[in-house]
Every structure is written in C-alpha cells, then in structure tokens.
Amino acid sequence: MSEEKLLLGFVGKVPSGTAPGHSGKTHCPSCMGLFKAPRLLPCLHTVCTTCLEQLEPFCVVDTGRGDSDTSSKGSIFQELKPRGLQPQIGILCPVCDAQVDLPMGGVEALTIDHLAMNDVMLESLRGEGQGLVCDLCSDREVEKRCQTCKANLCHFCCQAHRRQKKTTYHTMVDLKDSKGYSQIGKAILCPTHPAEELRLFCELCDQPVCRDCVVGEHREHPCDFTSNVIHKHGNSVRELLRGTQPHVDALEEALQQIKETNSTLQQRVEAVAADVRTFSEGYIKAIEEHRDKLLKQLEDIRVQKENSLQLQKAQLEQLLADMRTGVEFTEYLLTSGSDLEILLTKGVVVERLTKLNQVEYSAHPRVNNKICFSPQEKAGQCRGYEVINTKEVDPAKCVLQGTDLHRAQEKQTASFTLLCKDAAGEAMGRGGDNIQVAVVPKDKKDSLVRTVVQDNKDGTYCVSYTPKEPGIYTVLVCVQEQHVQGSPFTVTVRKRHRSHQGVFHCCTFCSSGGQKTARCACGGTMPGGYLGCGHGHKGHPGRPHWSCCGKFTEKSECTWTGGQSAARSLLRTVAL
C-alpha cells in the first residue's frame, strides 16, 4: 500500500473531544476506555498497547542521512536492496498524526506509561472505574495493599503474604485507607529481570536498572540509587520545562489573538455584508424608480408621436376628401355639363381647385418610429446612484445658434453651433449623435464645401466651413438623417474683407511728422507746399479718418480704388 493511501487511512481517527496533554488522563484516546498496558509515544501521547497494535503500520526507509521516506514503494519490496538503506516500520499517532518509528521490538518495546497506570488505579480506587483485581492471583477484588511491595492483594493472597517468612513484617493497609494517596501503582520491575524492582540508575546508559543489571551488563557503569540522582535529572527536566513554557504562553497568546482577530473578522464581515445589502437594496430601489421613470418617458414619447401622427392623419384625410370632392365634381362637370353650364360653374371650380393645389402638405410622416434605449450611457444619479441614459435626440427640437448662420466671407472660416434636444425639449447633455452637414453653392451644386463637425460631448456640436467664393450657399443640417429645426437655410457669402492700406489718423501733418510730400485720401491740403491735410485747413473733414480711403470708421472695409498716381501717394503714406 502506498504512503498516500496509508496517510488517508489514518485521517479522522482522532476522537472528537480529546485534547493533547497527559495530566489526569485515564482513558485511551483511541478506544475511549480505561488504559490497558498504556504506552508512551515520542509525541508524549499515551495509547493502549492493543490500540497501537491495531494501527496499520507503514515502512520508512532510512537512508542513513537522517531523512525518512514514508513511501511504500521503497527498496524493501525489492529482492535486492541497495546497501545502506535501512527499512523501518512506523505508525501514526492516533491523536496528532505524528510519525512514530517503532523500535526493533515493535509496540511492546515502547515505553510503558506507569503514571497513566497509576491514574487508572486511583480512579478505580475512588469508585469511578472498574474494580481492581489482585496483583498475584488476578482473580479476586483487592482488599489490602502491601506498602512494602507496592502490591494490591485480595483477602486470600494477603493472608498468604503474611504467612511467608520473607514478607511477614511487610506493612499492610486497607485499600479504602489508600484513597488519599497519589501513588498506589505497582512496583516497577526490571524488564530483563522481572523479579527485581528498578531502584538504581545507570548514568552511562541513561536508564533505570535493577540490582542484577548492575552486576551484569552494566558492570563498571556509574550507577546510583534513583533517590540520589533524581535531583540532578529532575532539575535538568525542569530547566528544559522552563524554556518550553514561554513557547506555550506565546502560542496560547497567539491563538487568543487569532481567536480575537477571527471574531473581529466575523464582525467586519457581518458589517460589510449589511453595507452590501443596504447598498444593493438602495440600488434596486433606484433602478426600479429609474425604470418607472423610463417607462413613463417612453409612454410620453408614444403619446406625443401618436398625437402628431393622428393630427397629420386627420389633416391628410380631410385634404384627401376635399381633393376627391373637387376632382369628382370637376370630372362630372366636364363630362356631363353643357358648354353653358361649364362656363357658368368655371369660376367656382377654378377657385376651389387652385386653392386646393396651393395647400402645402408633407407626403412623409412628421415623426419617425425610432425609439432607442442606450444602457451604455450614463444619465447622472438617481437616489445617489449612477443610472443609465435613455434620452433620444429629436431632430425637430434641435436648434442652430451662432452669428455666422446667414452670413460669411470668402476664404474665411464661418461657424455655428448645433444644440441637440430630446422630444421634451431638454438638452441631451451628451454627444455621440449622428450629425450630417452639407454646404452647397447655389450655382455649383456639385462642388460641396468641406465641413468639420466637432462633438463637444455635452449635446452641442460646433460646425465650421470655409467658402472659397462669394455667392449664395445652402446649408443642410441633419440629425439621425432628419433635418433639424431651421434646416435647410441659406448663407450669403460676401467678398473677402479688404484691409486698409493707410493709417487711421487725425491729419497727415501729425501722422507723417510734418512731411510735405505725404498725402491723404480726404483731399485736404495745407499752405506752404504741404500735399496732405492738417487741422483747420482746407479739405480737412474735422475728425479722424483713414488716409487710404478717407473712411471715418476705424474698423471698416477699405474702399480705395484709386489709380496709379494715387497708389504712389498711398504707398508713401503707408511707409510713414
């Protein structure tokens, strides 16, 4: 069986409610009964010998470098094992799943937990467990305890114990009088010499020994009574315990912090979950409110468009009825009337048909059937939440604005603004609509002027174009392939504004610095050979003017069209 299967086989074998530790334990964590021949594992957990023997072992291959391999696919299953690989049998602790390497003798070679055995006896003595049986006959219940031999004896074995010369003077006490004792276990006998009690300790082998061991395999080893060496070894264990206890405290504190953090985490989770629910409920209410608003807008659009269509339908039906009446009467008159009857009725018929022919009507529906929903566009907030936009542009509500709507100059850029609105007359507040603009010369309809449409992303569009020649132009502006309000319209393009070639001055004498040859288009002169105008002299207009054309308005178009001689004078004036 592979290591993975072995490990899975031990999962879940730890009984619920069992906890690590040894103090006061009398029940096996595996079978949950009183300990029977308890064995102490290297992880310091105690388990019955029988329970350990029932655990499924696995193989560990020791490579000699301190590493272990728990895979059952090791070389122990091969006929030829590589040199240096030492297979070893192991089990898993049923409490903590720690790996336990079994000694050569197997489970029986593990250390016996005498302290657990003593606890079991104490519990049985207090009546909390099953009754104790005699240590000698193992048949009858215990009545006495030999304090010298530390043996629990029944009434029959107690009498036999007193009759023997060797044990005659041993101290015997009633078992009920031993309930206050903390140690009533049996004497710990040597596993090598079962008749001898372990009373000595071999310092070299670091293990308790009996009297026969000292004269045998532990000959010449430093040995002493356990009562003499317990202080030294007990102190070393206590010192190690003092070094371990801070880790226990630190781990307990860490677990407490984890517990508190987990508790705080749960509180935060609940608080955030409440916030999420509150937000979601608010969002749902906002969406429902926005949904109702959108449906109401849709209904308003439907009513508006249906009313417009019904009105147009009624007008067209009335006009059609009038037309049919006129046509039928006229046809009947022409086919059935006499010459005199036709001439007598002609005036009324002609007047009626002429009036009907002059009635203007649209052969197409005034409104379209386009209604769109734009969930990808934001429409602001509803109850503090972002909602989608459902406004649809209505070409009939869109307006044109700007000073260059109906006038422009050649070779100069003219511009105007298109403001898009919905069916309710409210500004769209967003861009992205399909805008089409065409500027067509009246005399050259095949020569379209290039136009530029700039989307300002706020529902307004800046339209600009540059006419190359003066004349009358027609401008067509469409949204969603429908004309906007005021489209098409005409624009008069004038010739390019002529800039002044002279100077705007009070007089020639001042602007030229007193030069006699400087002239002015106003025609004024000064005595002393001055060819230009001067204040109070002949021909001066009495106010500032242009030297090139004589106009009195500073921001105006130059009208100078003089000949060659005048040009020379103007050039001289410009130079000044």
Side-chain angles (χ1 to χ4, degrees):
M1 183 180 294
S2 65
E3 175 191 356
E4 292 80 1
K5 293 183 179 179
L6 286 170
L7 292 177
L8 290 174
F10 288 106
V11 174
K13 288 190 176 181
V14 181
S16 59
T18 61
H22 193 287
S23 177
K25 278 182 28 176
T26 58
H27 290 72
C28 175
S30 181
C31 65
M32 304 305 296
L34 286 174
F35 280 122
K36 296 179 181 179
R39 301 286 174 174
L40 182 63
L41 303 181
C43 57
L44 301 185
H45 290 130
T46 303
V47 184
C48 294
T49 302
T50 305
C51 296
L52 292 176
E53 291 175 344
Q54 292 176 354
L55 296 178
E56 186 175 0
F58 59 89
C59 294
V60 179
V61 178
D62 187 0
T63 59
R65 296 187 298 271
D67 299 332
S68 61
D69 181 10
T70 58
S71 174
S72 61
K73 298 178 182 179
S75 59
I76 60 173
F77 293 99
Q78 300 176 7
E79 295 182 1
L80 297 177
K81 295 184 289 185
R83 183 177 300 177
L85 297 181
Q86 300 295 330
Q88 187 173 7
I89 303 300
I91 58 176
L92 294 180
C93 172
V95 178
C96 64
D97 280 342
Q99 177 179 315
V100 178
D101 296 334
L102 296 179
M104 295 299 296
V107 174
E108 295 289 343
L110 292 174
T111 303
I112 298 177
D113 191 345
H114 295 279
L115 188 59
M117 295 176 63
N118 182 76
D119 291 339
V120 170
M121 290 184 181
L122 283 174
E123 183 170 326
S124 299
L125 181 61
R126 296 187 185 104
E128 300 174 0
Q130 298 176 355
L132 294 177
V133 295
C134 179
D135 292 339
L136 296 181
C137 65
S138 301
D139 187 22
R140 304 177 184 87
E141 289 189 4
V142 175
E143 291 186 3
K144 301 283 186 176
R145 176 176 173 79
C146 177
Q147 296 291 81
T148 306
C149 299
K150 297 181 180 180
N152 300 320
L153 305 175
C154 64
H155 177 72
F156 178 80
C157 293
C158 179
Q159 292 179 348
H161 198 66
R162 286 178 174 177
R163 285 195 297 266
Q164 293 181 10
K165 184 181 295 185
K166 183 178 179 180
T167 58
T168 300
Y169 300 102
H170 286 189
T171 303
M172 306 292 290
V173 296
D174 290 335
L175 194 62
K176 60 181 180 180
D177 297 333
S178 301
K179 291 186 177 181
Y181 290 89
S182 60
Q183 295 287 338
I184 63 169
K186 302 177 183 179
I188 302 177
L189 304 178
C190 177
T192 306
H193 308 95
E196 295 294 331
E197 185 178 353
L198 295 175
R199 296 177 179 272
L200 302 169
F201 186 81
C202 178
E203 295 285 353
L204 180 63
C205 299
D206 194 28
Q207 67 179 29
V209 293
C210 68
R211 182 182 57 183
D212 292 348
C213 292
V214 172
V215 298
E217 58 182 289
H218 293 273
R219 184 187 298 273
E220 298 181 357
H221 288 187
C223 298
D224 199 349
F225 287 101
T226 55
S227 59
N228 296 334
V229 300
I230 186 59
H231 299 290
K232 181 180 69 172
H233 292 280
N235 290 337
S236 64
V237 174
R238 292 187 187 93
E239 184 66 25
L240 187 60
L241 177 62
R242 281 193 292 269
T244 307
Q245 189 60 44
H247 296 292
V248 174
D249 298 338
L251 290 173
E252 290 178 349
E253 183 179 357
L255 289 174
Q256 181 63 27
Q257 292 180 357
I258 291 176
K259 181 179 179 181
E260 294 175 356
T261 302
N262 185 56
S263 176
T264 305
L265 174 64
Q266 296 300 324
Q267 295 176 1
R268 285 299 305 149
V269 168
E270 293 175 0
V272 173
D275 293 341
V276 170
R277 284 190 288 269
T278 302
F279 176 83
S280 301
E281 291 171 359
Y283 216 150
I284 291 172
K285 291 181 180 178
I287 292 175
E288 291 176 348
E289 181 178 326
H290 191 58
R291 175 202 61 195
D292 297 339
K293 181 180 178 181
L294 297 181
L295 294 177
K296 185 178 181 303
Q297 291 179 0
L298 180 61
E299 180 64 18
D300 293 342
I301 293 175
R302 183 193 67 80
V303 172
Q304 179 185 6
K305 291 196 173 188
E306 282 189 355
N307 290 342
S308 178
L309 290 174
Q310 292 299 328
L311 178 60
Q312 185 181 9
K313 176 184 176 184
Q315 292 174 347
L316 293 179
E317 287 177 346
Q318 183 61 45
L319 181 59
L320 178 59
D322 295 342
M323 289 283 188
R324 283 177 175 173
T325 300
V327 170
E328 291 174 357
F329 181 83
T330 304
E331 289 179 346
Y332 176 72
L333 176 64
L334 293 176
T335 56
S336 303
S338 63
D339 296 342
L340 182 58
E341 290 174 341
I342 294 174
L343 293 176
L344 288 174
T345 318
K346 170 195 169 188
V348 179
V349 173
V350 171
E351 181 181 359
R352 179 58 175 169
L353 292 180
T354 302
K355 185 177 180 180
L356 290 175
N357 291 334
Q358 291 176 349
V359 175
E360 295 183 357
Y361 61 91
S362 175
H364 302 283
R366 293 176 183 174
V367 296
N368 55 36
N369 58 357
K370 293 182 179 179
I371 300 177
C372 65
F373 179 55
S374 304
Q376 71 279 4
E377 298 179 6
K378 293 183 178 181
Q381 293 188 342
C382 178
R383 287 178 172 263
Y385 299 92
E386 289 289 338
V387 293
I388 56 180
N389 186 16
T390 58
K391 286 186 176 181
E392 180 187 3
V393 64
D394 186 355
K397 299 292 184 178
C398 300
V399 295
L400 300 170
Q401 302 172 341
T403 58
D404 295 341
L405 272 177
H406 301 286
R407 63 182 182 182
Q409 291 186 345
E410 64 171 331
K411 299 181 181 179
Q412 289 189 358
T413 301
S415 62
F416 59 88
T417 301
L418 169 63
L419 174 59
C420 290
K421 298 183 179 181
D422 61 4
E426 297 180 358
M428 292 297 294
R430 59 158 179 82
D433 293 311
N434 182 20
I435 309 299
Q436 298 173 328
V437 180
V439 180
V440 184
K442 183 178 180 180
D443 299 332
K444 299 179 180 179
K445 294 185 178 182
D446 295 335
S447 302
L448 298 179
V449 179
R450 180 178 176 271
T451 59
V452 177
V453 180
Q454 179 181 349
D455 188 351
N456 297 326
K457 306 298 183 181
D458 58 357
T460 61
Y461 300 84
C462 181
V463 182
S464 60
Y465 63 96
T466 304
K468 297 181 180 180
E469 298 178 357
I472 305 299
Y473 288 75
T474 301
V475 180
L476 303 94
V477 182
C478 296
V479 177
Q480 307 294 357
E481 299 182 354
Q482 294 186 34
H483 285 284
V484 301
Q485 188 179 140
S487 174
F489 61 92
T490 59
V491 177
T492 302
V493 178
R494 298 181 180 180
K495 291 184 178 180
R496 187 177 181 181
H497 180 77
R498 295 181 58 189
S499 59
H500 293 278
Q501 301 297 318
V503 293
F504 190 73
H505 60 186
C506 59
C507 68
T508 307
F509 182 82
C510 294
S511 62
S512 65
Q515 294 186 15
K516 292 185 176 182
T517 57
R519 297 175 181 271
C520 182
C522 68
T525 58
M526 291 176 58
Y530 287 91
L531 303 180
C533 61
H535 291 288
H537 293 282
K538 182 181 178 181
H540 188 273
R543 51 180 172 169
H545 55 279
W546 283 100
S547 65
C548 52
C549 61
K551 274 194 172 183
F552 303 130
T553 304
E554 183 176 4
K555 294 183 179 180
S556 60
E557 184 178 2
C558 184
T559 58
W560 171 72
T561 56
Q564 183 177 3
S565 59
R568 287 197 297 266
S569 299
L570 289 175
L571 290 174
R572 188 176 300 168
T573 303
V574 172
L576 294 175

